[in-house]
């Protein structure tokens, strides 16, 4: 039987359609790989074997009968444990939802199953997607496959580490301020945050609703295009979903597109605070784009310096409202022994939420409280507009923008836990595009001297996913990164 663990989603789909391997055999191989590496990386919360094997059986039947199959037929995928997969737990890596079973299917996973993808497992994350290292999970710490002493990034650390460690060719994450791009950068894979509204959020447990987006992780650009085109599109169940056609990203992929395009290097994200080795690799990447025929210029986003504080006011304000629903009545945990309703609320939330979630609920509640609303929340909304306007101004002069994905490579466990601000600051490069709702991605571009991956971020105008993916593909074809295997799981 062909060994498919290291193959891409595209290759696996082809082998399946050619009947070189059955869907059941595909799953067997990935579960075997999970058995081998999971004890090292701790990327997964829940196995969805029952669902996976029933999907595989159906695919095998359909193929033998010659029925039409979807574009992701036979491709296993791992889903971040903040998305509803019907009849499975959706824990958000929080004690408060530990025993909560999703009563319905999220739109994005529904689309995946209709396209023939197979559900393997649900992945670990920072509790309610709040964090940059997956250390805020109430359950366990996911390790970075490139060095098990280091974090995988977050909040979608499990989704990133699992793809990097070949537990699946692709996975889904969510990105509110960088939670797809940053762990993709730390784990040496591709991570994509679509335009806000491109992918339906129905069935995604809300953190900060005006920022949350679902997107893919993969080990190459084609696979990201494949998952993205599968999950994108209008959904009447999400009022923020955009009612615009979805191009076939895989068919439209064209590395030639980057020729003669203007790429703006974001001045503010190439200066102080960016690690020298990271900067060095990004500069090499700029040369690669130049050789590919792109025209490189410098752009300035003067208000980007406010992006992190603005984000931590708006995201926490929205979180404080969204997380008010976990009261011991409607979902999951209810702490026993309370004498009345208010104390039941209090003890449930006290026992159920971790420290970071509590910190954010308090921050957000404060920013929204009367007397402070104008000074914090309203001001932050105004500055968000300015950051967005900076992008619009710059995109009058350039087609794409470029920066490092993160100021440093993956840090060691515990390095930032005691100092939340230093953790928050590590999102400096990813948060601006989130505030502006723009599509952005991280692609692997090199390594630091410790052998840890470095991510390059590309940002495009709204709904320009095609250009983003095509430019990333052109880069991937000449960048020597692809094909390397993480030391921690080799
Ligand atoms: N690290 C950021 C935070 O802690 C971003 C999280 C995310 O994108 N979900 O909020």
């Amino acid at each position: 039987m062909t060994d498919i663990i290291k193959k891409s989603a595209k290759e696996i789909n082809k082998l399946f359609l050619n009947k070189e391997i059955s869907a059941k055999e595909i799953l067997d191989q990935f579960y075997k790989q999970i058995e081998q590496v999971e004890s090292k990386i701790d990327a997964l919360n829940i196995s969805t074997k029952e669902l996976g094997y029933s999907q595989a059986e159906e695919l095998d039947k359909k193929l033998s009968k010659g029925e039409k199959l979807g574009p992701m037929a036979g491709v296993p995928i791992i889903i971040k444990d903040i998305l509803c997969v019907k009849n499975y737990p959706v824990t958000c890596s929080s004690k408060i939802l530990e025993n909560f079973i999703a009563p319905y299917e999220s739109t994005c996973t529904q689309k995946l199953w209709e396209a023939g993808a197979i559900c393997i497992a649900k992945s670990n994350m920072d509790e309610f997607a709040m964090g940059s290292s997956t250390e805020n999970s109430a359950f366990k710490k996911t390790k970075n496959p490139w060095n098990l002493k280091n974090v995988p990034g977050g909040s979608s650390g499990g989704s990133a580490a699992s793809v990097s460690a070949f537990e699946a060719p692709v996975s889904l994450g969510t990105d509110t301020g960088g939670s797809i791009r940053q762990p993709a950068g730390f784990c040496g894979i591709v991570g994509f945050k679509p335009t806000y509204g491109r992918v339906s959020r129905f069935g995604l447990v809300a953190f900060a609703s005006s920022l949350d987006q679902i997107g893919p992780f993969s080990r190459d650009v084609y696979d990201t295009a494949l998952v993205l085109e599968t999950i994108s599109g209008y959904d009447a169940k999400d009022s923020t979903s955009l009612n615009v056609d979805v191009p076939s990203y895989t068919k439209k992929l064209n590395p030639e597109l980057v020729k003669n395009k203007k790429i703006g290097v974001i001045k503010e994200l190439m200066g102080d605070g960016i690690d020298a080795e990271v900067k060095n690799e990004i500069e090499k990447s700029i040369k690669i784009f130049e050789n590919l025929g792109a025209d490189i210029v410098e752009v300035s986003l003067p208000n980007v310096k406010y992006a992190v504080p603005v984000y931590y006011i708006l995201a926490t304000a929205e979180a404080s409202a969204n997380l008010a629903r976990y009261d011991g009545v409607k979902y999951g945990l209810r702490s026993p022994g309370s004498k009345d309703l208010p104390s039941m609320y209090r003890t449930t939330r006290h026992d159920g939420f971790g420290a970071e979630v509590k910190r954010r609920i308090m921050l957000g509640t404060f920013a929204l409280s009367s007397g402070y609303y104008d000074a914090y929340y309203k001001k932050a909304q105004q500055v968000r507009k300015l950051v967005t306007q900076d992008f619009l101004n710059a995109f009058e002069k350039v087609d794409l923008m470029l920066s490092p994905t993160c100021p440093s490579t993956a840090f060691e466990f515990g390095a930032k836990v005691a100092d939340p601000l230093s953790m928050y600051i590590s999102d400096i490069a990813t948060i601006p595009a989130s505030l502006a709702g723009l599509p952005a991605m991280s692609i692997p571009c090199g390594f630091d001297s410790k052998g840890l991956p470095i991510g390059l971020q590309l940002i495009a105008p709204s709904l320009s996913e095609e250009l983003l993916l095509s430019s990333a593909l052109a880069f991937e074809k000449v960048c020597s990164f692809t094909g390397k295997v993480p030391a921690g799981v080799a």
Side-chain angles (χ1 to χ4, degrees), residues 11-62:
E11 290 165 335
I12 292 172
N13 169 256
K14 200 163 159 224
L15 288 166
F16 170 64
L17 294 181
N18 291 341
K19 300 194 177 161
E20 286 173 59
I21 188 161
S22 72
K24 181 183 173 296
E25 287 165 338
I26 292 171
L27 265 194
D28 289 345
Q29 285 202 26
F30 279 101
Y31 280 123
K32 197 164 153 233
Q33 170 73 0
I34 288 172
E35 246 169 58
Q36 277 165 13
V37 297
E38 186 54 19
S39 58
K40 292 187 197 163
I41 60 165
D42 279 323
L44 307 176
N45 281 353
I46 299 146
S47 161
T48 56
K49 256 190 190 166
E50 214 175 308
L51 172 63
Y53 277 107
S54 79
Q55 290 171 325
E57 199 183 315
E58 192 160 325
L59 285 163
D60 285 334
K61 257 192 224 148
K62 277 191 174 168

Side-chain angles (χ1 to χ4, degrees), residues 80 126 128-133 136 154-156 174-182 207 212 311-312 315 356 360 423-424 426-427 430-431 434:
K80 186 176 180 181
D126 282 302
F128 283 102
M130 299 174 187
S132 306
S133 65
N136 293 336
S155 64
S156 314
T174 61
D175 189 311
T176 303
S179 280
I180 293 175
R181 289 160 286 160
Q182 186 254 23
F207 159 18
D212 298 341
Y311 170 87
Y312 277 95
E356 181 63 23
R360 295 199 188 198
M423 189 79 93
Y424 295 174
S426 67
D427 299 329
T430 50
I431 281 177
S434 297

Side-chain angles (χ1 to χ4, degrees), residues 256-277:
E256 295 294 309
L257 224 57
V258 75
K259 273 202 184 128
N260 303 321
K261 289 286 182 302
K262 265 209 163 101
I263 302 184
V265 178
I266 304 171
K267 185 175 123 195
E268 289 79 5
L269 298 177
M270 284 295 278
D272 286 351
I274 307 294
D275 189 275
E277 287 190 290

Side-chain angles (χ1 to χ4, degrees), residues 139-362:
F139 307 143
K140 54 188 172 185
K141 289 186 176 49
T142 298
K143 283 81 181 174
N144 189 316
W146 294 90
N147 186 334
L148 303 175
K149 289 199 183 78
N150 293 55
V151 302
S155 64
S156 314
S159 293
S162 60
V163 167
S164 165
F166 306 101
E167 292 186 332
V170 287
S171 65
L172 285 190
T174 61
D175 189 311
T176 303
S179 280
I180 293 175
R181 289 160 286 160
Q182 186 254 23
F186 278 12
C187 291
I189 59 173
V190 180
F192 197 101
K193 182 198 93 75
T195 305
Y196 183 77
R198 174 91 286 190
V199 177
S200 166
R201 290 182 295 112
F202 181 76
L204 160 64
V205 177
F207 159 18
S209 313
S210 78
L211 296 151
D212 298 341
Q213 266 298 283
I214 302 158
F217 287 99
S218 66
R219 291 187 301 269
D220 69 31
V221 172
Y222 181 95
D223 281 2
T224 279
L226 176 66
V227 178
L228 188 65
E229 74 186 19
T230 305
I231 62 173
S232 292
Y234 175 68
D235 180 13
K237 293 183 195 142
D238 171 2
S239 60
T240 59
S241 127
L242 294 171
N243 199 349
V244 279
D245 288 343
V246 181
S248 169
Y249 297 126
T250 48
K251 292 205 183 83
K252 296 261 172 130
L253 270 180
N254 174 10
E256 295 294 309
L257 224 57
V258 75
K259 273 202 184 128
N260 303 321
K261 289 286 182 302
K262 265 209 163 101
I263 302 184
V265 178
I266 304 171
K267 185 175 123 195
E268 289 79 5
L269 298 177
M270 284 295 278
D272 286 351
I274 307 294
D275 189 275
E277 287 190 290
V278 170
K279 207 168 148 183
N280 192 27
E281 285 305 312
I282 301 299
E283 270 155 9
K284 281 195 216 156
S285 304
I286 293 171
K287 289 263 153 24
I288 293 183
F289 275 113
E290 241 164 10
N291 294 337
L292 288 167
D295 186 8
I296 307 288
V297 295
E298 190 178 78
V299 289
S300 171
L301 304 174
N303 293 296
V304 104
K305 56 179 175 289
Y306 304 122
V308 172
V310 161
Y311 170 87
Y312 277 95
I313 290 174
L314 296 179
T316 57
E318 293 186 30
S320 75
N322 278 326
L323 272 61
R325 72 191 67 176
Y326 306 107
D327 56 4
V329 177
K330 298 190 272 301
Y331 305 87
L333 181 78
R334 173 184 298 178
S335 293
S338 305
K339 53 183 185 324
D340 54 22
L341 192 61
S343 67
M344 192 279 283
Y345 290 156
R346 271 196 304 273
T347 47
T348 298
R349 288 167 73 81
H350 172 271
D351 300 345
F353 289 136
E356 181 63 23
V357 173
K358 285 178 188 154
R359 182 180 297 124
R360 295 199 188 198
I361 292 173
M362 286 191 286

Side-chain angles (χ1 to χ4, degrees), residues 46 48 77-86 88-93 100-102 104-110 112-113 119 121-123 125 156 159 171-175 180 199-206 213-216 231:
I46 299 146
T48 56
I77 188 162
I78 286 170
I79 307 292
K80 186 176 180 181
D81 199 10
I82 193 169
L83 289 158
C84 290
V85 173
K86 192 175 173 177
Y88 279 93
V90 51
T91 72
C92 297
S93 288
F100 180 70
I101 307 290
Y104 54 77
E105 191 72 35
S106 54
T107 299
C108 61
T109 53
Q110 184 64 37
L112 287 170
W113 316 147
C119 191
K122 300 190 75 188
S123 55
M125 52 184 278
S156 314
S159 293
S171 65
L172 285 190
T174 61
D175 189 311
I180 293 175
V199 177
S200 166
R201 290 182 295 112
F202 181 76
L204 160 64
V205 177
Q213 266 298 283
I214 302 158
I231 62 173

